[in-house]
Amino acid sequence: MTGPSEDIADIQTEPITAAIVCAWLRRHPEFLEENPEVIAFLTPPAFKQGETILDMQRFVLDRMRHDLVGLRRREKQLLAAVEGNSAGQAKIHQAVLAVIRTADIHALNRVIRADLPSLLDIEAAVLCIEKPGAMALAGATPIGLGGIANLMGPKRRIILQEDTRGEAIVFGNAADRVKSIAYLRLRTQKNAPAMLLALGSGRDDGFNSHQATDLISFLAQVIAERLKTYLGPKN
């Protein structure tokens, strides 16, 4: 059996000819399998009617080229998805840190309204409440009894909609800039009024029903935990 050093020696001492290339490939039948990108710039045999072997070679080469292009496309898509997920995760982490650093309910609402839009690269973030009162005075937006059910149905805990306008009752003056939305029910105390985290993106596809919800659900859970602390028995 000849090794790589012998092959290199052959190439260095003899001019490279078709015969040498063919001989080298015969000794290394796995070459194309290990280096499929070579197929992309090889010229296949011309089509000749009746020569079925050449026809099959042309078919195989075309198929391999097609598969290689598809693999490269999927690789780029996968890399883009990974980069997008990583960027989204970093944004949520920054938003969560901002939420847990708040000292009271007023600071929490300021973070939601003023900081989350820039941290998450969206147009608006609003904490909504069904009953007016102390929470409304703290900056939450009252939307009336049954308002959350009207927005997302009686039982759904999260809803994402693309290519839709923001509701003025939720987003106020920012509603016209909202093109897609995410609504998340907040689980707080048993007797606390129903509350909702509303996020509005300026992109038609900023939120959509096909995207994963684990990151924004985590953010909503952290906000709910802070609300539980601020809405304790003494409050």
Side-chain angles (χ1 to χ4, degrees):
M1 179 180 292
T2 59
S5 59
E6 297 177 23
D7 296 329
I8 293 173
D10 291 342
I11 293 175
Q12 290 176 338
T13 57
E14 298 180 44
I16 298 176
T17 64
I20 290 176
V21 172
C22 290
W24 189 90
L25 288 174
R26 288 192 184 97
R27 294 197 302 271
H28 300 83
E30 74 287 352
F31 176 74
L32 288 179
E33 182 178 359
E34 295 175 354
N35 302 273
E37 68 276 6
V38 174
I39 296 295
F41 53 79
L42 290 177
T43 302
F47 176 82
K48 295 182 180 180
Q49 186 67 32
E51 297 189 12
T52 56
I53 295 178
L54 291 183
D55 293 349
M56 180 57 69
Q57 288 175 339
R58 180 62 176 264
F59 170 79
V60 170
L61 289 172
D62 287 346
R63 179 62 179 270
M64 292 181 69
R65 281 177 170 171
H66 179 270
D67 291 346
L68 182 60
V69 170
L71 286 172
R72 287 175 173 169
R73 184 184 301 114
R74 287 192 290 274
E75 181 183 18
K76 289 181 180 179
Q77 291 172 344
L78 179 60
L79 289 174
V82 170
E83 291 173 356
N85 289 341
S86 179
Q89 188 176 55
K91 291 177 182 178
I92 292 295
H93 286 171
Q94 291 299 315
V96 167
L97 287 174
V99 168
I100 63 178
R101 287 169 180 161
T102 59
D104 54 41
I105 199 167
H106 297 275
L108 174 62
N109 195 64
R110 284 196 299 272
V111 164
I112 292 174
R113 285 184 176 273
D115 296 343
L116 290 194
S118 58
L119 290 172
L120 302 179
D121 193 23
I122 58 178
E123 287 295 326
V126 183
L127 177 63
C128 299
I129 186 172
E130 288 199 350
K131 294 181 181 178
M135 283 289 293
L137 293 176
T141 298
I143 57 175
L145 290 175
I148 295 177
N150 289 337
L151 290 170
M152 54 190 308
K155 296 182 178 180
R156 297 182 68 176
R157 304 211 66 85
I158 181 170
I159 184 172
L160 290 82
Q161 293 181 342
E162 59 186 318
D163 195 16
T164 185
R165 291 190 58 184
E167 295 283 351
I169 192 173
V170 174
F171 295 106
N173 294 333
D176 288 341
R177 302 195 304 273
V178 171
K179 303 297 176 58
S180 58
I181 58 94
Y183 292 147
L184 301 100
R185 291 179 190 265
L186 299 178
R187 298 179 179 180
T188 56
Q189 296 172 328
K190 182 177 180 181
N191 297 322
M195 284 179 278
L196 171 79
L197 175 65
L199 306 175
S201 172
R203 294 168 41 198
D204 291 339
D205 60 349
F207 296 108
N208 66 80
S209 59
H210 302 293
Q211 76 183 72
T213 60
D214 52 330
L215 289 176
I216 57 174
S217 293
F218 175 62
L219 173 61
Q221 290 170 12
V222 173
I223 291 175
E225 290 300 317
R226 299 307 289 170
L227 286 169
K228 288 179 183 178
T229 300
Y230 301 144
L231 295 174
K234 65 179 182 179
N235 296 319

